[in-house]
Amino acid sequence: MEIVTGYVTGINGNLANVSFDGSVHKNEVAYILVDGKRLKGEVIRINNGIASMQIYEMSNGIKVGDPVEFTGELMSVELGPGLLTQVFDGLQNPLPDLAEQCGFFLERGVYLNPIPDREWEFTPSVKAGDSVEAGTSIGSVPEGLFTHEIMVPFTLKGSDWTVKSIKEKGSYHVRATICVIENSKGEEKELSMVITQPVKQAVKCYEERLRPDEPLVTKLRCIDSFLPVAKGGTFCVPGPFGAGKTVLQHMEAKNGEADIVIVAACGERAGEVVEILKEFPELEDPKTGRSLMERTIIICNTSSMPVAAREASCYTAVTLAEYYRQMGLDVLLLADSTSRWAQAMREMSGRLEEIPGEEAFPAYLESTIASFYERAGKVRLKDGRIASVTIGGTVSPAGGNFEEPVTQATLKVVGAFHGLSRERSDARKYPAIHPMDSWSKYSGVIDMGRVEEARSILMRGTEINQMMKVVGEEGTSAEDYIIYQKGELLDAVYLQQNSFDPIDAACSPERQRQEFDRLYDALTMTYDLEDKKEIRSFFNQLRQEFLDWHGTEFETPEFAAQEKKISEFYMSKAAR
C-alpha cells in the first residue's frame, strides 16, 4: 500500500493542519515526526488538501514543515486475551509497563503492545471446511474467571468464508497464526488470537437488539427499588464535587450483576484517578471473594494528560465492552466523567473555528453524546445467547447546575437519571441521590405501583417540611406532622445506606422486597397519635428499630425476630 505523507502547515495547541498528497480519510491515524519521536494523531477534518489532526500527545516542539506519515488505518484498539486486570491510557498503552520503561514521568511518542506477549492454552471450536463470518468464535482460551473466546475480526466483509486450516488444541503465542480462512474468490486471511477494531465503529455482529427489561441489580436500595437501571440500559450520575460519585461507582462496580466492569477515568483529576487505582484492587469481589480487579479493566486518562485523549478513552472503553459482550457476557461500563470529555470537544471545536453552540460547546454535542450512549444495549447473539453492555456516565456540572448543556444533552438519551444533591451529601445522607429530582424509565425489583405510592408520601412529607420552616412545628396539624414523619422514616431507613457496613452495604433483591413490604405496611398504616411529642418519639423509635434490622444477617432467627418486633411496635399504635 502506498504510504501517504505530508507536512505541518499550522499548529494551534493540540490541533495541527497538515498538507498532503494522495488519499486520506477522516478518523485515519497519522504520526507527526518530531525530535526523533512519532506523535500519534487522528484526522478529524479534511478541506482542500489540508487535513486537520487532533494530536493525542503534548504538542510542544511541533513546527511548520515537520513531516507527517498517514497510516491508512482508522483509530483502533487491539482485542484479545490478557486485557482483564490491566490499566490502560486512552490510546490503550498499558500504564504499568509504560511507567516501568519511562519512569515517573511518561514520555510522549512511546506506544506499547496492549496485549501481553505470552502463550495461551488454545482449544479450537471449528474445523476445516466450517463456514465462518465476522464475530464467529473459532476457539477459546481460559482467562482468569472466564472462557475467553477467540473470534473472527468484526470488520471481516462477506459471509462466504470457510476455515482452511486451524491449529489443534495446545499452547500458542498470542500473536501466532492459529487459523487460516478463505473465501469463494480464493482470498486468504491468517488469524491470531489478537484482532483490531476501529473504536468509532460499533460492533454489530449479533442477531438483534432487545428491549432492556431485566434490572441490573446493584444491591443499593434507592437504585434497585426507586431508580432502577436495566441490563443493557443507560444511566447518568450528575453531581457537584464531593457528593459521593466515586464511592457510588465503587459500590455499583462491586455489587452490580455484571460479569465484566470497565472504568473509564476520562479527564478526572489525577487525585481521584489515583484513588480508583489504589482502591479497586483492594475491593473484594463478593462473587469470588478475590480482588475485583480480576474482572475489571481501567482506562485511565487524567486531566493532566493531553485533552484529545479523553475522547479516545471513552471510545476505547466502549469498544472493549462490546468485545466482551460478543462472548455472551454482561458488561458494566462506568465513564467518569463525560463533562471532561465534552470540555475537550469544546476546546477542539474552538480551535477548528466552528460556530459555537450553548456555552461555547460545539453544536454537535448532543449527537456525539447520544452516539456514545447508543452503543449500550441488550442483544441476542447469533448463537442465541443474551448479552449486554450497560453504560453509566457521571457528569460534573459546574456548581451542581443540572441545566448546563452536557447534563441536559445526556438526560435526553439515558434511561435513568441519578442526580446527586449537595444538600443531601452535606446532611450525610448517602448515597446522596435526590429522590425527587431523579427518575428512571426502567422497572425495578419492587412493584412500581407501590413504589410510586411510597414516593408520593415522601413528596408530601417534603412539602410539609417546607411549610414547617415558615409556620413552625406548632402551626402544623398532627395529621400533617405524621405524614412528614413517614417521609423522614422512608428516607432514613430505605433510601440511605451505609456502604461501609459489611451487612448494609449490599442489600439483595429478596431482602429489599421483604424490607420494603414491612416499611410499606408501616407507611400506609393509620396511627392513633395526637401529641407531636408522642408522634416524634414513636417515629424515632420505629426508625431505630428499622436501622437495627438493617444490621442483622438476612434469613436468620435474629432477622425474623427483629421484623416481628418492628411489626408489633407499629401495630401497637395503629388506629383501631
Side-chain angles (χ1 to χ4, degrees):
M1 185 178 69
E2 182 186 353
I3 297 177
V4 178
T5 59
Y7 61 90
V8 176
T9 60
I11 182 77
N12 180 8
N14 63 328
L15 177 72
N17 288 329
V18 179
S19 177
F20 63 92
D21 292 317
S23 177
V24 170
H25 50 264
K26 191 178 176 185
N27 301 130
E28 181 175 341
V29 173
Y31 292 91
I32 300 178
L33 280 60
V34 182
D35 301 330
K37 297 184 182 296
R38 289 159 52 84
L39 306 186
K40 195 172 188 176
E42 179 187 5
V43 176
I44 55 176
R45 187 171 71 182
I46 302 169
N47 187 16
N48 293 329
I50 299 293
S52 297
M53 281 175 53
Q54 60 178 357
I55 306 163
Y56 291 123
E57 301 279 10
M58 302 302 286
S59 57
N60 303 354
I62 298 177
K63 56 188 179 297
V64 172
D66 283 343
V68 179
E69 292 180 0
F70 294 89
T71 64
E73 298 174 352
L74 298 178
M75 183 69 188
S76 302
V77 291
E78 284 193 350
L79 306 171
L83 292 171
L84 290 180
T85 75
Q86 293 246 51
V87 180
F88 298 111
D89 68 2
L91 303 179
Q92 213 193 4
N93 288 307
L95 284 174
D97 295 347
L98 209 59
E100 192 175 314
Q101 180 170 323
C102 304
F104 288 111
F105 299 98
L106 304 181
E107 295 178 17
R108 62 179 183 169
V110 179
Y111 308 107
L112 304 179
N113 287 334
I115 307 291
D117 285 323
R118 53 163 290 190
E119 293 188 344
W120 294 87
E121 193 65 32
F122 174 72
T123 303
S125 58
V126 294
K127 60 185 184 301
D130 285 356
S131 295
V132 294
E133 58 183 333
T136 301
S137 175
I138 58 173
S140 62
V141 300
E143 183 187 13
L145 307 168
F146 305 98
T147 299
H148 189 114
E149 294 183 12
I150 307 301
M151 290 174 274
V152 176
F154 306 127
T155 53
L156 185 72
K157 304 296 183 185
S159 56
D160 58 342
W161 295 85
T162 56
V163 177
K164 185 177 181 181
S165 65
I166 187 156
K167 296 287 189 182
E168 296 178 351
K169 182 177 180 179
S171 185
Y172 302 99
H173 191 273
V174 71
R175 297 182 188 277
T177 299
I178 55 169
C179 181
V180 179
I181 60 175
E182 64 178 353
N183 63 9
S184 56
K185 298 176 184 177
E187 298 171 337
E188 291 187 359
K189 283 189 180 294
E190 295 183 349
L191 307 181
S192 70
M193 298 183 199
V194 178
I195 62 176
T196 58
Q197 173 67 25
V199 295
K200 293 183 179 177
Q201 289 182 8
V203 178
K204 296 184 178 180
C205 301
Y206 49 79
E207 194 67 35
E208 65 173 324
R209 285 175 72 96
L210 304 172
R211 180 183 176 83
D213 53 5
E214 180 186 354
L216 175 74
V217 174
T218 63
K219 296 186 179 178
L220 296 168
R221 288 187 295 267
C222 69
I223 294 179
D224 293 345
S225 299
F226 279 73
L227 303 161
V229 176
K231 283 185 179 178
T234 54
F235 65 99
C236 72
V237 187
F241 179 75
K245 290 195 293 289
T246 303
V247 174
L248 182 59
Q249 275 198 331
H250 284 185
M251 300 313 297
E252 289 169 342
K254 181 178 178 180
N255 297 317
E257 284 191 350
D259 301 307
I260 305 288
V261 177
I262 299 177
V263 179
C266 167
E268 278 302 295
R269 297 174 183 84
E272 293 188 26
V273 176
V274 167
E275 189 177 333
I276 291 173
L277 295 177
K278 279 185 175 180
E279 294 189 9
F280 253 75
E282 295 177 5
L283 290 178
E284 183 181 300
D285 186 351
K287 295 182 180 179
T288 62
R290 292 151 70 174
S291 171
L292 183 64
M293 274 301 292
E294 292 188 15
R295 58 184 182 93
T296 301
I297 303 171
I298 296 177
I299 312 294
C300 178
N301 194 90
T302 68
S303 56
S304 56
M305 292 179 175
V307 291
R310 297 178 189 178
E311 178 188 36
S313 62
C314 283
Y315 286 115
T316 295
V318 76
T319 306
L320 295 179
E322 289 174 333
Y323 176 57
Y324 280 99
R325 181 200 66 196
Q326 290 300 121
M327 299 180 200
L329 301 174
D330 293 315
V331 186
L332 174 61
L333 167 57
L334 299 171
D336 184 18
S337 112
T338 54
S339 291
R340 311 279 186 249
W341 170 31
Q343 288 162 11
M345 268 195 281
R346 176 168 63 183
E347 189 172 322
M348 190 59 64
S349 176
R351 287 173 180 162
L352 286 168
E353 298 180 1
E354 295 172 336
I355 297 173
E358 188 179 354
E359 290 190 20
F361 284 103
Y364 47 81
L365 174 70
E366 288 187 11
S367 60
T368 304
I369 289 177
S371 66
F372 171 68
Y373 281 100
E374 282 167 2
R375 290 176 70 169
K378 179 179 176 183
V379 301
R380 177 181 290 112
L381 301 176
K382 292 181 179 178
D383 60 7
R385 290 179 297 174
I386 305 296
S388 66
V389 171
T390 307
I391 297 180
T394 65
V395 187
S396 306
N401 173 27
F402 292 171
E403 300 302 316
E404 57 89 39
V406 182
T407 306
Q408 289 301 309
T410 305
L411 289 182
K412 290 178 181 178
V413 294
V414 296
F417 165 58
H418 301 161
L420 300 184
S421 161
R422 165 68 66 196
E423 179 188 355
R424 289 181 68 81
S425 66
D426 287 347
R428 299 293 184 267
K429 295 180 177 180
Y430 292 109
I433 299 173
H434 198 293
M436 299 293 99
D437 293 344
S438 305
W439 48 261
S440 173
K441 299 176 183 176
Y442 305 119
S443 297
V445 299
I446 308 290
D447 176 67
M448 297 312 287
R450 303 177 82 195
V451 167
E452 286 306 313
E453 198 172 339
R455 194 196 303 270
S456 68
I457 293 173
L458 184 64
M459 290 179 69
R460 179 67 183 134
T462 304
E463 291 171 359
I464 293 168
N465 184 31
Q466 296 299 322
M467 183 181 69
M468 283 169 55
K469 290 178 181 178
V470 178
V471 302
E473 189 178 297
E474 62 279 0
T476 308
S477 67
E479 183 182 354
D480 281 352
Y481 194 64
I482 288 174
I483 295 174
Y484 160 70
Q485 289 289 357
K486 284 181 177 180
E488 290 292 296
L489 177 69
L490 171 60
D491 191 350
V493 307
Y494 203 81
L495 299 180
Q496 296 176 45
Q497 200 164 339
N498 186 355
S499 65
F500 299 102
D501 183 276
I503 296 175
D504 196 34
C507 190
S508 67
E510 295 76 23
R511 179 167 187 153
Q512 287 184 49
R513 293 187 191 101
Q514 192 162 339
E515 288 186 357
F516 184 82
D517 285 346
R518 184 56 54 210
L519 179 62
Y520 178 82
D521 196 32
L523 291 175
T524 54
M525 189 72 64
T526 303
Y527 296 104
D528 188 12
L529 300 166
E530 296 293 336
D531 178 59
K532 289 192 178 67
K533 184 178 179 182
E534 183 187 7
I535 295 170
R536 192 184 310 109
S537 174
F538 168 75
F539 278 100
N540 284 343
Q541 179 66 32
L542 184 58
R543 177 164 54 228
Q544 190 57 52
E545 295 294 350
F546 269 105
L547 294 177
D548 291 344
W549 195 28
H550 289 330
T552 59
E553 289 279 359
F554 186 49
E555 294 182 332
T556 60
E558 293 80 10
F559 183 84
Q562 184 64 21
E563 181 180 17
K564 184 180 179 183
K565 183 179 178 183
I566 291 170
S567 178
E568 289 175 348
F569 178 72
Y570 69 72
M571 288 300 294
S572 67
K573 297 294 184 180
R576 303 298 179 187

